[in-house]
Amino acid sequence: MNSNSMEMLARQLPLVARNVTYTDPCLLIHGHGWHLRLLTAWRVLKTGKFLMGSDEVDVPSLQSVLVGNMIVECRSQSSTAGFDPALVFATGHVLEVFSVSALEPWIFSIDGVGPFAASPSA
């Protein structure tokens, strides 16, 4: 994902998270017409404080934070590597995604727009 893709993704917002499932190591968040599949490191923050992450997943807590919540902003989560998103939810929670492989460790699909994927080696 590059800055143009990040902007295109941001134009599709807001998106409501209708369901969250986790089967180690896959986190799947989806709503009407979209889904985000993560097979890489991620973390959830609130007001700059760590709440939970991919190494210690409390599924009921994760679901209570994200299900029914609305993604209102998408931005690069790193100032030096612009290919991983930080998804900001209406409640102020932020889901940060980290590419840790040259393969596509996450895919964000939105109907009619196409998939967005990490491309850290491109």
Side-chain angles (χ1 to χ4, degrees), residues 36-51:
L36 172 63
R37 182 178 58 96
L38 302 174
L39 291 171
T40 189
W42 54 268
R43 67 181 174 203
V44 176
L45 308 170
K46 175 79 183 250
T47 323
K49 295 181 183 174
F50 176 86
L51 295 181

Side-chain angles (χ1 to χ4, degrees), residues 82-104:
F83 45 76
D84 287 330
L87 302 174
V88 180
F89 288 81
T91 57
H93 291 89
V94 178
L95 172 65
E96 292 185 331
V97 179
F98 300 89
S99 293
V100 294
S101 168
L103 301 175
E104 295 177 350

Side-chain angles (χ1 to χ4, degrees), residues 18-118:
R18 298 285 182 210
N19 196 9
V20 174
T21 58
Y22 180 78
T23 304
D24 194 12
C26 183
L27 173 61
L28 179 64
I29 305 169
H30 61 90
H32 180 69
W34 70 274
H35 71 271
L36 172 63
R37 182 178 58 96
L38 302 174
L39 291 171
T40 189
W42 54 268
R43 67 181 174 203
V44 176
L45 308 170
K46 175 79 183 250
T47 323
K49 295 181 183 174
F50 176 86
L51 295 181
M52 65 190 87
S54 53
D55 285 347
E56 297 177 7
V57 181
D58 177 349
V59 175
S61 293
L62 181 63
Q63 289 171 329
S64 72
V65 165
L66 298 183
V67 173
N69 207 339
M70 185 181 309
I71 302 170
V72 295
E73 182 182 352
C74 175
R75 61 180 180 237
S76 174
Q77 65 87 1
S78 170
S79 62
T80 57
F83 45 76
D84 287 330
L87 302 174
V88 180
F89 288 81
T91 57
H93 291 89
V94 178
L95 172 65
E96 292 185 331
V97 179
F98 300 89
S99 293
V100 294
S101 168
L103 301 175
E104 295 177 350
W106 61 264
I107 297 176
F108 201 134
S109 294
I110 301 175
D111 293 351
V113 180
F116 301 92

